[in-house]
């Protein structure tokens, strides 16, 4: 039996087909998760290239990253490969680029904007998450 066949035959698969409101409820939670995830990521990714320079990056990140983590938990089961690529990109940003945030996010350096590595990471992040959203929505048509 294929993994898809096993999933269709599982109790969860049967419940999704039999319970009138389960499938719409799961899809609603999933879409809310997508909106929260992309919204929280987009806020930080739009700030990194230089928009809203009056807002320091560290407090903004502290504010939006819990929303990112919580919404990530809502939608992990779908788009696993792309989500893993986005997670790797975020891990690289936070281990390689973000440790120096105090230098490039200081008031005097903010005029110059974040370093190219932060800008590149933000662009990659936005592209990956747009692909995740597009692929997730296109699944309904295949």
């Amino acid at each position: 039996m294929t993994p898809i066949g096993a999933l269709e035959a599982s109790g969860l698969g049967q419940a999704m087909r039999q319970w009138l409101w389960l499938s719409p409820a799961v899809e609603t939670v999933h879409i809310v998760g997508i909106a929260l995830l992309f919204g929280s990521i987009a806020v930080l990714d739009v700030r990194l290239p230089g928009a809203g320079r009056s807002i320091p990056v560290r407090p903004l990140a502290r504010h939006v990253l819990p929303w990112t983590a919580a919404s990530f938990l809502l939608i992990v089961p779908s788009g696993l490969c792309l989500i893993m690529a986005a997670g790797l990109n975020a891990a690289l940003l936070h281990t390689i680029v973000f440790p120096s945030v105090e230098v490039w996010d200081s008031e005097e350096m903010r005029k110059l904007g974040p370093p190219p590595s932060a800008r590149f990471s933000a662009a990659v992040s936005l592209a990956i998450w747009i692909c995740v959203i597009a692929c997730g929505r296109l699944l309904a048509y295949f």
Side-chain angles (χ1 to χ4, degrees):
M1 181 179 290
T2 67
I4 292 174
L7 185 58
E8 287 175 351
S10 71
L12 176 61
Q14 291 176 5
M16 292 291 279
R17 287 189 302 278
Q18 293 174 354
W19 296 356
L20 180 63
W21 291 104
L22 183 57
S23 183
V26 168
E27 186 165 348
T28 299
V29 167
H30 186 73
I31 290 170
V32 168
I34 290 170
L36 288 171
L37 181 68
F38 183 74
S40 63
I41 289 170
V43 165
L44 189 57
D45 286 347
V46 168
R47 169 59 187 92
L48 288 176
R53 288 189 177 151
S54 63
I55 303 168
V57 173
R58 283 179 32 192
L60 180 63
R62 271 194 305 266
H63 180 72
V64 300
L65 290 177
W67 288 98
T68 304
S71 58
F72 192 77
L73 294 174
L74 289 176
I75 63 171
V76 159
S78 61
L80 196 53
C81 267
L82 283 170
I83 289 173
M84 287 173 51
L88 176 61
N89 181 60
L92 291 172
L93 170 71
H94 288 280
T95 57
I96 296 170
V97 179
F98 223 70
S100 64
V101 71
E102 288 185 37
V103 174
W104 53 265
D105 197 37
S106 64
E107 193 170 334
E108 59 274 358
M109 295 296 287
R110 216 175 293 149
K111 293 176 226 140
L112 299 174
S117 56
R119 294 174 189 205
F120 178 75
S121 179
V124 168
S125 176
L126 286 170
I128 290 172
W129 286 112
I130 289 168
C131 288
V132 167
I133 292 167
C135 290
R137 295 312 308 147
L138 290 173
L139 282 175
Y141 301 103
F142 294 103

